[in-house]
Amino acid sequence: MSASPTTVASLAAMKARGERIAVLTCYDATFARLLDEAGVEVMLVGDSLGMVLQGHPTTVPVTLDQMVYHTACVTRGSSRALVVADLPFMSYATPERALESASRLMQEGGAQMVKLEGGEPYLDTVRQLVAQGAPVCAHLGLQPQSVNQLGGYRFQGRDHASAERIRHDALAMQDAGASLLVLECVPQALAGEIARTLTIPVIGIGAGAECDGQVLVLQDMLGLNPGRAPRFSRDFTVAGGSVRGAVDAYVVAVREGSFPSAPEIAY
Ligand code: KIV
């Protein structure tokens, strides 16, 4: 674990060295300080805050103003981790809107990277963001902002056509200039194959143990949502004993590859 700030280049170097990357969601300055001290490499200001903080059933109601506000809270508390902010629903419906939204998240919020959900239809958007100096994290597999279209939070990539589309989109996103890829709720074998094929780091959530890193929703891994956390998550307070202990235990488990383990993969 290094004390120097995480950058796009240092994440790529970790992948090249075979070192796993620990990522957690974060929505405020207090947790940002704690996660920073624990050595988490990337803090994701996820639009999951719509569900976790605001109590909505989906991430769809989250606004750009809210994302800017929480991103600024997180960046005020962090000094080492790379801060990635989600572009919320519809805020990147056109490349022009994406540029405006990303500029607010980065200039007002202080984010160092923006994340968007989707593949092929967003390649030009990614190219334009990258051309303007905005690093991009792509998000494939289960895309929670599309829950109304999907009809629920469904595992992706199980059939041949869906796996093929995810494979294709992952490579296309890398070619368009994305620096990071989140794969959510896809089979371990598919996620592992994509992680080995791409040169950019692939961060998994519900995607098995073969990715270059893992991300969880902070409140889920702190056991604050009993009975509501997804099956692929783990309550790290059991091993850690305290909030800081839980985050420390998560970082160690991701680094040594003991998270996720069989029960969290086989679902
Ligand atoms: O919004 C979020 O927190 C996310 C992670 C679950 C990957 O996108």
Side-chain angles (χ1 to χ4, degrees):
M1 184 186 315
S2 125
S4 47
T6 309
T7 61
V8 169
S10 71
L11 291 175
M14 283 184 76
K15 172 165 176 140
R17 289 194 299 267
E19 292 171 14
R20 294 189 190 84
I21 299 165
V23 184
L24 283 173
T25 67
C26 188
Y27 318 111
D28 67 46
T30 299
F31 273 113
R33 269 189 290 275
L34 188 144
L35 266 51
D36 227 29
E37 283 163 14
V40 166
E41 271 89 23
V42 178
M43 294 183 209
L44 170 63
V45 188
D47 60 358
S48 51
L49 67 84
M51 301 169 82
V52 177
L53 301 188
Q54 299 173 341
H56 292 297
T58 74
T59 59
V60 173
V62 177
T63 66
L64 182 62
D65 282 346
Q66 291 164 352
M67 289 306 301
V68 171
Y69 170 82
H70 284 283
T71 303
C73 294
V74 169
T75 56
R76 280 195 286 271
S78 70
S79 57
R80 198 190 72 85
L82 185 92
V83 176
V84 180
D86 262 342
L87 286 160
F89 182 69
M90 286 292 168
S91 71
Y92 52 102
T94 63
E96 294 69 31
R97 282 191 72 181
L99 291 175
E100 282 164 23
S101 304
S103 104
R104 289 201 59 204
L105 289 169
M106 295 182 74
Q107 293 188 293
E108 295 173 45
Q112 291 145 306
M113 186 182 289
V114 294
K115 176 162 84 60
L116 58 81
E117 296 179 11
E120 183 80 35
Y122 297 97
L123 294 177
D124 191 38
T125 298
V126 172
R127 280 186 211 103
Q128 293 201 34
L129 286 166
V130 172
Q132 297 302 324
V136 175
C137 174
H139 183 150
L140 298 172
L142 174 60
Q143 296 163 31
Q145 291 175 10
S146 303
V147 63
N148 291 310
Q149 213 157 34
L150 295 169
Y153 295 102
R154 300 190 199 293
F155 203 81
Q156 303 292 310
R158 277 205 167 112
D159 61 86
H160 178 74
S162 156
E164 209 34 62
R165 193 170 50 250
I166 294 168
R167 253 186 222 107
H168 166 273
D169 283 350
L171 204 54
M173 278 288 167
Q174 172 176 278
D175 291 347
S179 305
L180 207 59
L181 171 66
V182 166
L183 279 181
E184 179 164 357
C185 290
V186 301
Q188 168 164 280
L190 175 64
E193 182 199 322
I194 292 172
R196 287 186 290 277
T197 304
L198 298 194
T199 55
I200 60 172
V202 176
I203 310 298
I205 174 161
E210 297 176 15
C211 293
D212 304 307
Q214 297 290 329
V215 57
L216 282 179
V217 169
L218 181 62
Q219 279 76 355
D220 290 344
M221 58 76 70
L222 291 177
L224 296 175
N225 287 317
R228 303 186 74 175
R231 275 172 291 173
F232 57 73
S233 193
R234 184 189 297 177
D235 177 356
F236 279 89
T237 60
V238 174
S242 65
V243 171
R244 174 58 199 266
V247 177
D248 287 344
Y250 172 74
V251 171
V252 169
V254 171
R255 292 239 198 295
E256 69 185 19
S258 60
F259 176 79
S261 61
E264 293 129 357
I265 294 168
Y267 74 99

